[in-house]
Amino acid sequence: MKVLLVGVTGQIGHEIKHELSSIATVVAPGRDQMDLSHPQAIAAQVKATAPDIIINAAAYTAVDQSEAEVTVAQRINGLAPGHLAAAANQVSAALIHLSTDYVFDGNQSFPYRESDPPAPVSMYGQSKLAGEQAIQTHCDRHLILRTAWVYGTYGSGNFVKTMLTLGGQRDVVRVVYDQVGTPTWAREVAKVVATLAQRLDTIPWGIYHFTNSGVASWYDFAIAIFEEAEALGYPLKMQRVEPITTPEYPTPAHRPAYSVLANEKIIDVLGYRPPHWRRSLRAMLAEYVPLMVEAGEKFG
C-alpha cells in the first residue's frame, strides 16, 4: 500500500505517519515540495507518487485569523481538497480527508450525526465545508473524517500546550465554560485513519465522525489539564481557574456553543469504541511533560 500523506508536519499528520510507517510506503512531501496553493503542484505530486490512498491532514487551522485571511483559508481548506480529489480520481486513488466539528452551528443540544445539515458560523468552518463539498464533487472514493478539539504532543500550539504555558505564568487563568465539545487526542484520530486505510474495501464511502468519548466545556478541559499536569510534577503558578462566558472572551470568529459529534456510525463500521477524553489526555501528558524536561525547556 502506497500512501501520499499531506500535512505531515501537523499534529495529526505526524501521528498518522507514525501509525502507517510499518504497514505502508508513506510519501510525505513538505510544503516546499507540494504547495497546496497551486493546483499544478498538487496534480504533479499525485501523478509522480501514484498512490493507492491520499490522506489529507493539512488545513489552515487559525480559526480567528481566517476571518481576516479569507483568501488563504478558502485556498487551503476549500479549494485544495477539491484539487486533491480530482488528482486522486486521475490515478484511481482513494482519498481520506480530515474535517471539523466547526461545520455545524452549535445550536442543538445533542450530538451531531453525519446526516445533520452543516451550517458553519465562522469563515474557518465555511472553508472546511467547502472542502468537503469539493471532495464529494470530484472523487467518488472518499472518506471524510470529522473530528474536534484536537490536541497532541507534536505540531504547533493547541489548547493543552496553551493552558500549560498560561498555568506556569499566571495566578489566574480565565477559560470559557459555555462552549461544549469533546477533547480529542491526535493519536486516537491517527489510529482510526490508519485502520480506515487498511480496510477501504469493507467500508462504505462518505462522511464519518470520530472523537474521543465524553463531553466537556473548555473550562472542564482546562481543569483536567492542570490536575493531570500537576500530578506529573509540572510546576504551576496558577492558583485559580475562573470560568467565563463567551461574551466575556470575544474573538473575531464565532464558535459553536455545542459541537459534540456522534461516534455511532464509525463504531458500527470499525467495531472500535474510543476511550474517554480524560484517559487520553492523561496518556498524552505522561508523554509530553517528560519530553519538555528532556528538551531542557523551562517551565513558566
Side-chain angles (χ1 to χ4, degrees), residues 4-72:
L4 174 60
L5 174 59
V6 185
V8 68
T9 58
Q11 53 189 354
I12 297 179
H14 185 283
E15 297 284 3
I16 290 174
K17 184 178 181 182
H18 176 77
E19 290 292 329
L20 288 176
S21 60
S22 63
I23 60 173
T25 300
V26 180
V27 178
R31 293 173 187 171
D32 57 332
Q33 298 169 287
M34 185 172 72
D35 187 343
L36 294 179
S37 300
H38 295 91
Q40 299 87 348
I42 294 173
Q45 181 68 63
V46 171
K47 183 177 180 180
T49 305
D52 301 300
I53 306 169
I54 299 171
I55 299 175
N56 184 28
Y60 183 75
T61 57
V63 177
D64 289 320
Q65 283 182 245
S66 295
E67 298 299 313
E69 299 183 358
V70 175
T71 301
V72 178

Side-chain angles (χ1 to χ4, degrees), residues 14-15 152-155 161 185 187 232 234 283-299:
H14 185 283
E15 297 284 3
T153 302
Y154 304 98
K161 294 179 181 180
W185 190 14
R187 186 164 301 168
L232 290 165
Y234 188 94
M284 178 270 185
L285 287 173
E287 176 183 279
Y288 180 61
V289 171
L291 280 176
M292 293 177 70
V293 175
E294 184 180 338
E297 296 186 15
K298 294 181 180 179
F299 292 116

Side-chain angles (χ1 to χ4, degrees), residues 84-105:
L84 279 169
N89 251 14
Q90 288 293 317
V91 298
S92 300
L95 175 61
I96 300 176
H97 173 76
L98 292 170
S99 193
T100 175
D101 56 325
Y102 278 30
V103 300
F104 297 111
D105 59 18

Side-chain angles (χ1 to χ4, degrees), residues 63 66-67 102 104 119-127 253-256:
V63 177
S66 295
E67 298 299 313
Y102 278 30
F104 297 111
V121 294
S122 67
M123 179 50 60
Y124 169 70
Q126 291 170 23
S127 66
H254 293 293
R255 287 163 168 77

Side-chain angles (χ1 to χ4, degrees), residues 32-200:
D32 57 332
Q33 298 169 287
M34 185 172 72
D35 187 343
L36 294 179
S37 300
H38 295 91
Q40 299 87 348
I42 294 173
Q45 181 68 63
V46 171
K47 183 177 180 180
T49 305
D52 301 300
I53 306 169
I54 299 171
I55 299 175
N56 184 28
Y60 183 75
T61 57
V63 177
D64 289 320
Q65 283 182 245
S66 295
E67 298 299 313
E69 299 183 358
V70 175
T71 301
V72 178
Q74 290 177 333
R75 186 183 302 134
I76 303 302
N77 296 339
L79 297 176
H83 299 314
L84 279 169
N89 251 14
Q90 288 293 317
V91 298
S92 300
L95 175 61
I96 300 176
H97 173 76
L98 292 170
S99 193
T100 175
D101 56 325
Y102 278 30
V103 300
F104 297 111
D105 59 18
N107 289 335
Q108 69 184 40
S109 57
F110 49 92
Y112 282 93
R113 297 182 179 276
E114 291 83 353
S115 56
D116 288 327
V121 294
S122 67
M123 179 50 60
Y124 169 70
Q126 291 170 23
S127 66
K128 290 295 288 182
L129 178 59
E132 290 186 8
Q133 294 168 337
I135 288 169
Q136 292 169 318
T137 298
H138 295 292
C139 182
D140 294 332
R141 301 176 67 230
H142 68 263
L143 296 175
I144 295 170
L145 187 68
R146 293 176 181 150
T147 188
W149 292 28
V150 176
Y151 65 90
T153 302
Y154 304 98
S156 57
N158 54 56
F159 187 77
V160 173
K161 294 179 181 180
T162 298
M163 287 299 103
L164 290 177
T165 298
L166 293 179
Q169 296 174 342
R170 300 181 182 179
D171 295 320
V172 178
V173 178
R174 304 170 76 237
V175 184
V176 169
Y177 75 86
D178 57 358
Q179 294 174 23
V180 177
T182 304
T184 302
W185 190 14
R187 186 164 301 168
E188 293 294 340
V189 180
K191 288 177 182 178
V192 166
V193 170
T195 302
L196 291 171
Q198 294 175 82
R199 295 175 54 180
L200 288 180

Side-chain angles (χ1 to χ4, degrees), residues 151 182-185 212-216 219-231 274-286:
Y151 65 90
T182 304
T184 302
W185 190 14
N212 274 107
S213 64
V215 175
Y219 173 79
D220 299 327
F221 191 14
I223 291 290
I225 292 166
F226 293 135
E227 288 178 349
E228 298 292 346
E230 189 171 36
H276 190 272
W277 66 264
R278 179 120 186 194
R279 177 180 165 189
S280 289
L281 172 65
R282 184 177 300 128
M284 178 270 185
L285 287 173

